[in-house]
Amino acid sequence: MNIIIAGAGKVGGTVAEHLSGEGHSVTILDKTDAVLERLSNQLDVMCLKGNCASRDLLLEAGARECDVLIAATASDEINLLCCHCAHNLGVPYTVARVRGTEYANDLDTLKRDLGVTMLINPELASAVEISRLLRFPSAANIDTFARGRVELISFHIQETDFLAGRSLASLSSKIQDLPILFCAVERGDDVFIPNGSTVLAREDRVYVAGTPNGVHQFFKLLGRQTHRIKDVFIIGGGRIAFYLLVQLERLGMSCKVVEKGDDRCRQLAEEFPHSLIIHGDGTDPELLEEERMAASDAFIALTDRDEDNLIISLYAHQAGVSKVVAKSNRQNYTSIAHSAGVESVVSPKLTTAGQILRMVRGLQNSKGSAMIALYRIAEGRAEAMEFVAAPTTQHLGVPLKDLKLKKGVLIAVIVRGAKVIIPEGSTTLESGDNVIVVARDSGILDLNDIYEGGGLRAGG
Amino acid sequence: MNFKLVLRITGFTLLIEAAAMLLPMGVALIYGESPIPFLSSILIILAAACVPVFLLKPKKDFFAREGFFTVGLIWVLFGAFGALPFWFSGQFGPYVDCFFETISGFTTTGATILTEIEGLPMGLLFWRSFTHWLGGMGVLVLTAALLPFLGISSNFLIRAESPGPVKSKLLPRASQSSKILYAIYLALTVLETLLLRIAGLNWYDAVTHAMSTAGTGGFSRMNSSVGAFGSPAVEIIITVFMLLFSVNFAVYFLILTGKAKQALKSDELRFFLIMVAVSTAAIAWNIRDIYNGVGECVRYAAFQVASIVSTTGFSSANYDLWPEFSKMLLVVLTLIGACAGSTGGGIKCSRILILIRSAAREVRSIIHPRAVSVVRLDGAPLPEATLHTTQCYFIINLFLVFGMAIVVGLDNFSFGTTLTAVITCISNVGPGLEMVGPAGNFAAFSVLSKLVLSFLMVLGRLEMFPILVLFSRSAWKRS
């Protein structure tokens, strides 16, 4: 496909890297030479300099033949204008990044009026992710499929858990009957798909998929659902904090926000009557103690600096706050955070790039079985994908026990209409199903890619 | 200071006062009384007003200081000229008394120097109630509505005259807003007149009492005020309308434009209604031994509470004889007063709400010294400047009450009389306790006290600042 990316910042660069790696022809527009120079050295892409919203530049970049335009410059207005212009030039799919809180309520109107296919708000997406984590404090990460009908949750096995040291097949019928499935186990550097004989060990990170209620019940049985989060302590009052406060106030949690900027404090205080806004430096331990940080149920570090976020998260973790979430855009910090005990790390950059890539991949497969969601799990060593089975999908109606899947591939959940099915041997795939697949290696772009060879077991 | 323009606007406004006097003159003629007091007053006002109106060719510069200054000047002159018919009639005593009575009328206070009201000429008593009606909504608001070409649609003037801590315009153009306010005002007055007529009053009493209620003034033709009619229906109608006129008129505007939900969300309105309900219940309980049955207790309590809180000052019972608890509560309600943007006086409910909330914030800031929080009204954050002005307003109010109580104390009346006279005047209510209670009047005060109390009434009506500007030396400098 021909893809134009306007703005070569963090998100633009990441998306360009992936898309060009997947074999698309990518043209990058930006107004600064240095960035373009660096990218054209690193990637096999075309770079053009100029104002991204200018019609001439878009024409020069080949907007007439372009399939997808992604606008991710620093300015919301330029992104929107760029998409609008591209839409008028006949680009069928346009994606704009809009992060301004002022536009938060206008997204649908903007989309319709300006002809933008998709609006992406990284800060909003991150806030949604964090609020989901707070609703489900025992989970380190949560991804959702089929419009929230299915959740994929990861958590660490602790020594005290009854799961430790037992094979999955030997678990009590109470757990067996829950609408959940163990999808993947991360042990050390290894990731594998568990089966009945898998024995879970302490320090394993386990991925479980199922209905939100099923997962909830599972955590209850596990004894992890002991407390609901009520008091949230947030450091940094930026955009993510803004969107997060909107959601947390709605959930009835009481929030404390520490923010450095004087005017920003006032803005937040005006916007959020039920939250306590504190003017001060969130990295100052004295302030944190004065405001009784250790007594809060959750601690979220959202300052501009990844390093600060990680350090104060560690501090909060040591102080005994049970749920700690850090924002970090640098991927290599994530594993450091994990090893130090901070399990939940949120990256707006990756979330956004992920959203854009998902859409582009979906477009690519729109002829076959469309991929509508993709999450990288286990630090990128496995993927969880959601497909819609099409009439062209092979082996529809064949019981799963007769199918031969590639090694390291698992059909985790099937959503048929409003029904969520945890597959058994007799389950079949039907056209129109939403199928959630967990695969150890990437490279599955179509539902048909999951079958090994002819896809049928010998004699099946 | 652009004196020429100030004088010209003042001149035009006085012309309106002259025109307004035609109405009581007509009433005097109907009742076969002499129109001479009115006629001579009108001629004097015309002579005084025509000089600045026709001779001055002012520059257009008009700023906040001119606005405040003009309002202050106009209100003092309105009292001075409006007193002429009373003075010429010779039945209201010396000029100071006439001036006090007129200021009390225009500021919708309703404090009187008359000991015997019944039997005075109908035309003069009509003028007395009519000053309430004119002063209630504001004479400049009226001028702005009638004479938009003057350019006093300049927001400064309206802002100076309309009460409340947060000024908001209903419509983009000030003269349009003024017209709508007066239309609502007029419609409610007419409605009350009709209801009172149906309830059995004659046309004259219905109109004068409706006008006194509308301006939340409180002048009545009867010596013992509304109580004289002895009619529960009349009392209930007046109770309801006193409360209606003490609600922010923007609420009616919102209801008329189909935004009733937004109107009912108003913090101030809720505070006001709760305050009225609780006070009524408390007083009804407190006076249970004086009257027979719950109905009668509630009827008297509700009327008095509505009258005081709306700063009207009618009475249907001599509450000076009630228990101390009820009297204290009524004095506190006198200070608090009605809602902002109404015709009522007092400190205003919204200011009290803001003060309570900023006090709560101060207490919170001890627990969280570095917390940033805002004070809200109707969910909207208030600028810090508004909080300062409100606190300042409250303090000036207290200083004036106690400072002027010392001056009035020279007359050597009792503590209760002195203090409640001052409070009732600055809040534009009318009656206080003891000698100035519902059965009493202000006749016995010295000339000095009468002038001080008149001054307090104007201060209260214009919410301090326009009058205090007159005392600032820099306001008098020519520009």
Side-chain angles (χ1 to χ4, degrees), chain B residues 430-453:
Chain B
L433 295 175
E434 303 180 14
M435 192 184 91
V436 293
N441 59 65
F442 287 72
F445 283 106
S446 66
V447 171
L448 176 65
S449 292
K450 280 174 187 162
L451 286 177
V452 163
L453 293 173

PDB file of all heavy atoms in Angstrom, chain B residues 430-453:
ATOM      1  N   GLY B 430     -36.462  47.985  56.072  1.00  0.00           N
ATOM      2  CA  GLY B 430     -37.473  48.921  56.535  1.00  0.00           C
ATOM      3  C   GLY B 430     -37.658  48.879  58.035  1.00  0.00           C
ATOM      4  O   GLY B 430     -37.102  49.703  58.748  1.00  0.00           O
ATOM      5  N   PRO B 431     -38.403  47.908  58.545  1.00  0.00           N
ATOM      6  CA  PRO B 431     -38.555  47.843  59.996  1.00  0.00           C
ATOM      7  C   PRO B 431     -37.406  47.106  60.666  1.00  0.00           C
ATOM      8  O   PRO B 431     -36.782  46.230  60.067  1.00  0.00           O
ATOM      9  CB  PRO B 431     -39.873  47.060  60.171  1.00  0.00           C
ATOM     10  CG  PRO B 431     -40.022  46.266  58.931  1.00  0.00           C
ATOM     11  CD  PRO B 431     -39.277  46.957  57.832  1.00  0.00           C
ATOM     12  N   GLY B 432     -37.122  47.478  61.911  1.00  0.00           N
ATOM     13  CA  GLY B 432     -36.142  46.755  62.715  1.00  0.00           C
ATOM     14  C   GLY B 432     -36.853  46.223  63.937  1.00  0.00           C
ATOM     15  O   GLY B 432     -37.907  45.601  63.815  1.00  0.00           O
ATOM     16  N   LEU B 433     -36.296  46.496  65.102  1.00  0.00           N
ATOM     17  CA  LEU B 433     -36.928  46.047  66.336  1.00  0.00           C
ATOM     18  C   LEU B 433     -37.173  47.249  67.251  1.00  0.00           C
ATOM     19  O   LEU B 433     -36.664  48.340  67.008  1.00  0.00           O
ATOM     20  CB  LEU B 433     -36.040  45.023  67.054  1.00  0.00           C
ATOM     21  CG  LEU B 433     -35.805  43.683  66.326  1.00  0.00           C
ATOM     22  CD1 LEU B 433     -34.808  42.839  67.096  1.00  0.00           C
ATOM     23  CD2 LEU B 433     -37.107  42.924  66.118  1.00  0.00           C
ATOM     24  N   GLU B 434     -37.925  47.004  68.298  1.00  0.00           N
ATOM     25  CA  GLU B 434     -38.233  48.004  69.328  1.00  0.00           C
ATOM     26  C   GLU B 434     -38.836  49.272  68.735  1.00  0.00           C
ATOM     27  O   GLU B 434     -39.860  49.203  68.057  1.00  0.00           O
ATOM     28  CB  GLU B 434     -36.985  48.281  70.189  1.00  0.00           C
ATOM     29  CG  GLU B 434     -36.477  46.973  70.821  1.00  0.00           C
ATOM     30  CD  GLU B 434     -35.251  47.158  71.678  1.00  0.00           C
ATOM     31  OE1 GLU B 434     -34.916  48.301  72.030  1.00  0.00           O
ATOM     32  OE2 GLU B 434     -34.624  46.134  72.016  1.00  0.00           O
ATOM     33  N   MET B 435     -38.145  50.429  68.893  1.00  0.00           N
ATOM     34  CA  MET B 435     -38.762  51.683  68.457  1.00  0.00           C
ATOM     35  C   MET B 435     -38.969  51.724  66.937  1.00  0.00           C
ATOM     36  O   MET B 435     -39.913  52.332  66.443  1.00  0.00           O
ATOM     37  CB  MET B 435     -37.895  52.858  68.903  1.00  0.00           C
ATOM     38  CG  MET B 435     -38.583  54.190  68.755  1.00  0.00           C
ATOM     39  SD  MET B 435     -37.466  55.515  69.173  1.00  0.00           S
ATOM     40  CE  MET B 435     -36.751  55.869  67.593  1.00  0.00           C
ATOM     41  N   VAL B 436     -38.058  51.083  66.196  1.00  0.00           N
ATOM     42  CA  VAL B 436     -38.213  51.087  64.738  1.00  0.00           C
ATOM     43  C   VAL B 436     -38.851  49.776  64.272  1.00  0.00           C
ATOM     44  O   VAL B 436     -38.743  49.408  63.115  1.00  0.00           O
ATOM     45  CB  VAL B 436     -36.870  51.318  64.019  1.00  0.00           C
ATOM     46  CG1 VAL B 436     -36.365  52.716  64.280  1.00  0.00           C
ATOM     47  CG2 VAL B 436     -35.839  50.285  64.449  1.00  0.00           C
ATOM     48  N   GLY B 437     -39.478  49.048  65.176  1.00  0.00           N
ATOM     49  CA  GLY B 437     -40.128  47.783  64.831  1.00  0.00           C
ATOM     50  C   GLY B 437     -41.307  47.988  63.897  1.00  0.00           C
ATOM     51  O   GLY B 437     -41.597  49.116  63.481  1.00  0.00           O
ATOM     52  N   PRO B 438     -41.995  46.899  63.570  1.00  0.00           N
ATOM     53  CA  PRO B 438     -43.082  46.979  62.597  1.00  0.00           C
ATOM     54  C   PRO B 438     -44.170  47.969  63.005  1.00  0.00           C
ATOM     55  O   PRO B 438     -44.850  48.540  62.138  1.00  0.00           O
ATOM     56  CB  PRO B 438     -43.620  45.554  62.543  1.00  0.00           C
ATOM     57  CG  PRO B 438     -42.995  44.807  63.646  1.00  0.00           C
ATOM     58  CD  PRO B 438     -41.747  45.513  64.005  1.00  0.00           C
ATOM     59  N   ALA B 439     -44.315  48.193  64.289  1.00  0.00           N
ATOM     60  CA  ALA B 439     -45.358  49.127  64.713  1.00  0.00           C
ATOM     61  C   ALA B 439     -44.792  50.532  64.890  1.00  0.00           C
ATOM     62  O   ALA B 439     -45.548  51.482  65.132  1.00  0.00           O
ATOM     63  CB  ALA B 439     -45.990  48.646  66.014  1.00  0.00           C
ATOM     64  N   GLY B 440     -43.472  50.681  64.786  1.00  0.00           N
ATOM     65  CA  GLY B 440     -42.864  51.991  65.046  1.00  0.00           C
ATOM     66  C   GLY B 440     -42.496  52.722  63.770  1.00  0.00           C
ATOM     67  O   GLY B 440     -42.938  52.369  62.679  1.00  0.00           O
ATOM     68  N   ASN B 441     -41.698  53.781  63.909  1.00  0.00           N
ATOM     69  CA  ASN B 441     -41.214  54.507  62.739  1.00  0.00           C
ATOM     70  C   ASN B 441     -39.938  55.256  63.092  1.00  0.00           C
ATOM     71  O   ASN B 441     -39.444  55.185  64.216  1.00  0.00           O
ATOM     72  CB  ASN B 441     -42.271  55.453  62.207  1.00  0.00           C
ATOM     73  CG  ASN B 441     -42.680  56.441  63.267  1.00  0.00           C
ATOM     74  OD1 ASN B 441     -41.885  57.261  63.707  1.00  0.00           O
ATOM     75  ND2 ASN B 441     -43.931  56.343  63.720  1.00  0.00           N
ATOM     76  N   PHE B 442     -39.397  55.993  62.129  1.00  0.00           N
ATOM     77  CA  PHE B 442     -38.093  56.638  62.293  1.00  0.00           C
ATOM     78  C   PHE B 442     -38.207  58.119  62.641  1.00  0.00           C
ATOM     79  O   PHE B 442     -37.220  58.844  62.604  1.00  0.00           O
ATOM     80  CB  PHE B 442     -37.262  56.471  61.006  1.00  0.00           C
ATOM     81  CG  PHE B 442     -36.734  55.084  60.803  1.00  0.00           C
ATOM     82  CD1 PHE B 442     -37.579  54.033  60.449  1.00  0.00           C
ATOM     83  CD2 PHE B 442     -35.383  54.817  60.962  1.00  0.00           C
ATOM     84  CE1 PHE B 442     -37.095  52.751  60.266  1.00  0.00           C
ATOM     85  CE2 PHE B 442     -34.891  53.529  60.773  1.00  0.00           C
ATOM     86  CZ  PHE B 442     -35.750  52.493  60.427  1.00  0.00           C
ATOM     87  N   ALA B 443     -39.434  58.585  62.967  1.00  0.00           N
ATOM     88  CA  ALA B 443     -39.653  60.021  63.133  1.00  0.00           C
ATOM     89  C   ALA B 443     -38.813  60.623  64.252  1.00  0.00           C
ATOM     90  O   ALA B 443     -38.377  61.773  64.160  1.00  0.00           O
ATOM     91  CB  ALA B 443     -41.139  60.285  63.387  1.00  0.00           C
ATOM     92  N   ALA B 444     -38.553  59.848  65.286  1.00  0.00           N
ATOM     93  CA  ALA B 444     -37.917  60.422  66.472  1.00  0.00           C
ATOM     94  C   ALA B 444     -36.426  60.675  66.312  1.00  0.00           C
ATOM     95  O   ALA B 444     -35.817  61.328  67.155  1.00  0.00           O
ATOM     96  CB  ALA B 444     -38.164  59.504  67.670  1.00  0.00           C
ATOM     97  N   PHE B 445     -35.824  60.155  65.257  1.00  0.00           N
ATOM     98  CA  PHE B 445     -34.377  60.329  65.106  1.00  0.00           C
ATOM     99  C   PHE B 445     -34.023  61.778  64.805  1.00  0.00           C
ATOM    100  O   PHE B 445     -34.825  62.536  64.250  1.00  0.00           O
ATOM    101  CB  PHE B 445     -33.845  59.427  63.991  1.00  0.00           C
ATOM    102  CG  PHE B 445     -33.701  57.986  64.402  1.00  0.00           C
ATOM    103  CD1 PHE B 445     -34.591  57.024  63.942  1.00  0.00           C
ATOM    104  CD2 PHE B 445     -32.683  57.602  65.259  1.00  0.00           C
ATOM    105  CE1 PHE B 445     -34.464  55.709  64.324  1.00  0.00           C
ATOM    106  CE2 PHE B 445     -32.558  56.268  65.652  1.00  0.00           C
ATOM    107  CZ  PHE B 445     -33.442  55.331  65.180  1.00  0.00           C
ATOM    108  N   SER B 446     -32.781  62.151  65.150  1.00  0.00           N
ATOM    109  CA  SER B 446     -32.308  63.512  64.889  1.00  0.00           C
ATOM    110  C   SER B 446     -32.030  63.683  63.396  1.00  0.00           C
ATOM    111  O   SER B 446     -31.997  62.706  62.638  1.00  0.00           O
ATOM    112  CB  SER B 446     -31.038  63.769  65.686  1.00  0.00           C
ATOM    113  OG  SER B 446     -30.024  62.926  65.180  1.00  0.00           O
ATOM    114  N   VAL B 447     -31.809  64.926  62.976  1.00  0.00           N
ATOM    115  CA  VAL B 447     -31.510  65.226  61.576  1.00  0.00           C
ATOM    116  C   VAL B 447     -30.257  64.464  61.132  1.00  0.00           C
ATOM    117  O   VAL B 447     -30.223  63.857  60.063  1.00  0.00           O
ATOM    118  CB  VAL B 447     -31.312  66.745  61.380  1.00  0.00           C
ATOM    119  CG1 VAL B 447     -30.793  67.042  59.982  1.00  0.00           C
ATOM    120  CG2 VAL B 447     -32.614  67.470  61.634  1.00  0.00           C
ATOM    121  N   LEU B 448     -29.233  64.463  61.995  1.00  0.00           N
ATOM    122  CA  LEU B 448     -27.985  63.775  61.657  1.00  0.00           C
ATOM    123  C   LEU B 448     -28.247  62.289  61.399  1.00  0.00           C
ATOM    124  O   LEU B 448     -27.829  61.732  60.380  1.00  0.00           O
ATOM    125  CB  LEU B 448     -26.982  63.939  62.797  1.00  0.00           C
ATOM    126  CG  LEU B 448     -25.664  63.169  62.607  1.00  0.00           C
ATOM    127  CD1 LEU B 448     -24.885  63.719  61.422  1.00  0.00           C
ATOM    128  CD2 LEU B 448     -24.821  63.180  63.869  1.00  0.00           C
ATOM    129  N   SER B 449     -28.979  61.669  62.323  1.00  0.00           N
ATOM    130  CA  SER B 449     -29.248  60.240  62.167  1.00  0.00           C
ATOM    131  C   SER B 449     -30.035  59.965  60.897  1.00  0.00           C
ATOM    132  O   SER B 449     -29.787  58.997  60.186  1.00  0.00           O
ATOM    133  CB  SER B 449     -30.038  59.700  63.363  1.00  0.00           C
ATOM    134  OG  SER B 449     -29.228  59.729  64.505  1.00  0.00           O
ATOM    135  N   LYS B 450     -31.001  60.823  60.601  1.00  0.00           N
ATOM    136  CA  LYS B 450     -31.809  60.615  59.393  1.00  0.00           C
ATOM    137  C   LYS B 450     -30.937  60.694  58.140  1.00  0.00           C
ATOM    138  O   LYS B 450     -31.107  59.912  57.202  1.00  0.00           O
ATOM    139  CB  LYS B 450     -32.946  61.634  59.319  1.00  0.00           C
ATOM    140  CG  LYS B 450     -34.125  61.244  60.198  1.00  0.00           C
ATOM    141  CD  LYS B 450     -35.181  62.315  60.228  1.00  0.00           C
ATOM    142  CE  LYS B 450     -36.243  61.939  61.250  1.00  0.00           C
ATOM    143  NZ  LYS B 450     -37.057  63.118  61.629  1.00  0.00           N
ATOM    144  N   LEU B 451     -29.995  61.646  58.146  1.00  0.00           N
ATOM    145  CA  LEU B 451     -29.105  61.757  56.989  1.00  0.00           C
ATOM    146  C   LEU B 451     -28.197  60.527  56.901  1.00  0.00           C
ATOM    147  O   LEU B 451     -27.990  59.968  55.821  1.00  0.00           O
ATOM    148  CB  LEU B 451     -28.270  63.041  57.084  1.00  0.00           C
ATOM    149  CG  LEU B 451     -29.047  64.323  56.781  1.00  0.00           C
ATOM    150  CD1 LEU B 451     -28.164  65.546  56.981  1.00  0.00           C
ATOM    151  CD2 LEU B 451     -29.589  64.298  55.350  1.00  0.00           C
ATOM    152  N   VAL B 452     -27.662  60.097  58.063  1.00  0.00           N
ATOM    153  CA  VAL B 452     -26.784  58.918  58.078  1.00  0.00           C
ATOM    154  C   VAL B 452     -27.539  57.697  57.581  1.00  0.00           C
ATOM    155  O   VAL B 452     -27.042  56.923  56.752  1.00  0.00           O
ATOM    156  CB  VAL B 452     -26.242  58.684  59.507  1.00  0.00           C
ATOM    157  CG1 VAL B 452     -25.694  57.267  59.644  1.00  0.00           C
ATOM    158  CG2 VAL B 452     -25.173  59.697  59.833  1.00  0.00           C
ATOM    159  N   LEU B 453     -28.786  57.536  58.050  1.00  0.00           N
ATOM    160  CA  LEU B 453     -29.561  56.366  57.641  1.00  0.00           C
ATOM    161  C   LEU B 453     -29.919  56.444  56.151  1.00  0.00           C
ATOM    162  O   LEU B 453     -29.893  55.418  55.451  1.00  0.00           O
ATOM    163  CB  LEU B 453     -30.821  56.235  58.506  1.00  0.00           C
ATOM    164  CG  LEU B 453     -30.546  55.904  59.985  1.00  0.00           C
ATOM    165  CD1 LEU B 453     -31.826  55.949  60.804  1.00  0.00           C
ATOM    166  CD2 LEU B 453     -29.889  54.535  60.130  1.00  0.00           C
TER     167      LEU B 453
END
